[in-house]
Amino acid sequence: MIECIELGEVAYNEAMTMMDVCISDRRAGLTGDRLLLLAHPPVITFGRNTRPEELPDDSVGIPVVPADRGGYATYHGPGQLVGYLVIDVRNATAPQLVRWVEETLIRALSQLGVKSFRRDTPKGENSLVGVWAGPNHKIASIGMRIREGISSHGFALNIAPDLDAFDAFTPCRLPDVEMTSLAQIASRNCKAALDDAEVRAAVAAQFAGGPPWSPAATTRVS
């Protein structure tokens, strides 16, 4: 099982400190697997392999912060659901972890009546990891880290963020990607926008059972 912890809006650096405490506790066996659900004030974060030309210039007016995770540059802000997964992954590979996160988000969106899918990355091409809601419309980004058998960082699902913020840089090293959101999809389909609490509940419910490689009641990492 995964314990879901609702945190509301938390500044990025403060959230990283909280996540690091959770990692230490999980590694010491003081807690079980956890999912931190939160939002950030506007911030652009970037993974360690991001190129300088993929980042915005100073005129954008949004803090740009390096992140100790995989993936490239992305935006976090109000209207987005961020999930940080601190779980035991000793019995899984990195691709298995990422695939599970993708598929779990897809199930949550299906529960909400939204069709989405994952994409395989062609050899030699930029990564297509994440969740997609159209041929070139990405609705969720994923960037994670595994260290000493424990995962950290996680995903960002667009509920109703300011999508214009993604135009200031190259999201996920995909210059032609169009970031979308649940609000935008609802508007295009002439439907009412999903409530933030409803989305959080669906995501928490789908992650609660834990990954397929983990026993239901794992509480200690040796």
Side-chain angles (χ1 to χ4, degrees), residues 102-154:
E102 290 174 327
E103 292 177 345
T104 304
L105 289 171
I106 289 167
R107 289 196 301 272
L109 291 173
S110 179
Q111 179 181 326
L112 295 165
V114 177
K115 294 181 179 180
S116 61
F117 54 93
R118 59 174 302 280
R119 298 173 68 182
D120 291 322
T121 302
K123 187 175 181 179
E125 298 294 326
N126 291 327
S127 174
L128 299 178
V129 163
V131 178
W132 300 77
N136 200 42
H137 296 76
K138 192 173 187 180
I139 195 167
S141 300
I142 297 171
M144 305 195 71
R145 183 187 77 190
I146 297 175
R147 186 167 294 167
E148 297 179 21
I150 303 297
S151 72
S152 60
H153 296 273

Side-chain angles (χ1 to χ4, degrees), residues 38-113:
L38 61 149
H40 292 308
V43 62
I44 293 169
T45 68
F46 61 97
R48 49 190 173 271
N49 295 319
T50 306
R51 299 166 181 155
E53 61 268 24
E54 295 167 357
L55 298 174
D57 58 38
D58 295 338
S59 66
V60 71
I62 300 175
V64 179
V65 181
D68 184 18
R69 57 161 173 79
Y72 303 103
T74 194
Y75 165 78
H76 299 307
Q80 188 182 69
L81 177 60
V82 175
Y84 293 133
L85 277 160
V86 180
I87 66 174
D88 178 359
V89 292
R90 290 175 300 166
N91 295 323
T93 64
Q96 285 175 321
L97 170 62
V98 171
R99 174 73 65 90
W100 172 70
V101 174
E102 290 174 327
E103 292 177 345
T104 304
L105 289 171
I106 289 167
R107 289 196 301 272
L109 291 173
S110 179
Q111 179 181 326
L112 295 165

Side-chain angles (χ1 to χ4, degrees), residues 146-204:
I146 297 175
R147 186 167 294 167
E148 297 179 21
I150 303 297
S151 72
S152 60
H153 296 273
F155 61 85
L157 173 62
N158 296 329
I159 302 175
D162 176 11
L163 295 176
D164 290 341
F166 290 98
D167 295 335
F169 63 102
T170 305
C172 309
R173 191 170 282 176
L174 296 171
D176 298 322
V177 72
E178 182 176 342
M179 301 302 292
T180 190
S181 67
L182 292 173
Q184 186 178 74
I185 292 170
S187 177
R188 286 174 175 171
N189 294 326
C190 299
K191 295 183 177 180
L194 288 162
D195 178 76
D196 183 84
E198 186 179 8
V199 177
R200 285 172 172 263
V203 170

